[in-house]
Amino acid sequence: MSNSGTPSTESPPATDFNLDSLAGANPAANTEPTGPPASPATVIANHKKKDTSKVVVRFRAVGNAPILKQNMYRITASNKFLAVIQFLRKELNYKHSDPLFLYVNSAFSPAPDEIVNNLYKCFGTDGKLIVNYCTSPAWG
């Protein structure tokens, strides 16, 4: 509640979770040349660095899907969407054989190999990537 007695619309802070154990994080590569060519050792060292930027993902249950106690998490932007799927399955205690359907903005189901940062840049809303989940197909 705010000081005026009206309900507050502030959302709880997002929590970080480490997906490195679930799926390999691929750093985003900068392909624009910025000067003389770098040595091969420098290129390899830069490629091995992990991207530390984060994307806030908000999970929303649809239909009869169980509701998470916490619905916002910060995810490393360079992770694939597969890591989000695996994380949600782990949080819900779902087996790989249990049906789980994920949609972005209640519209489409992204491919598991899609990069989370690309989804956020194209479909992010209010600084968050909204991921709806359900146990049966809901949207196309």
Side-chain angles (χ1 to χ4, degrees):
M1 290 259 179
S2 66
N3 292 342
S4 64
T6 58
S8 174
T9 59
E10 293 180 19
S11 23
T15 301
D16 280 340
F17 65 94
N18 185 0
L19 293 176
D20 294 336
S21 63
L22 296 175
N26 295 329
N30 184 5
T31 57
E32 296 180 17
T34 57
S39 69
T42 304
V43 171
I44 291 172
N46 287 340
H47 182 70
K48 288 184 179 180
K49 287 182 185 175
K50 293 190 177 192
D51 183 12
T52 58
S53 63
K54 301 277 185 171
V55 170
V56 176
V57 175
R58 181 173 185 173
F59 293 106
R60 289 188 177 169
V62 176
N64 62 351
I67 298 172
L68 293 171
K69 289 181 182 176
Q70 179 178 341
N71 62 1
M72 282 200 287
Y73 296 90
R74 290 191 326 211
I75 299 173
T76 303
S78 61
N79 282 335
K80 294 182 178 182
F81 194 70
L82 177 64
V84 175
I85 296 169
Q86 291 173 334
F87 171 77
L88 186 59
R89 281 190 177 280
K90 185 178 116 187
E91 287 295 304
L92 296 172
N93 293 323
Y94 271 27
K95 298 175 187 169
H96 190 65
S97 60
D98 294 335
L100 183 64
F101 299 88
L102 277 69
Y103 300 92
V104 171
N105 290 344
S106 303
F108 73 100
S109 182
D113 65 342
E114 189 68 46
I115 303 297
V116 172
N117 195 36
N118 293 345
L119 291 169
Y120 173 73
K121 285 179 182 177
C122 295
F123 305 105
T125 305
D126 296 329
K128 301 176 197 79
L129 179 65
I130 310 247
V131 176
N132 302 83
Y133 63 95
C134 52
T135 57
S136 61
W139 294 283

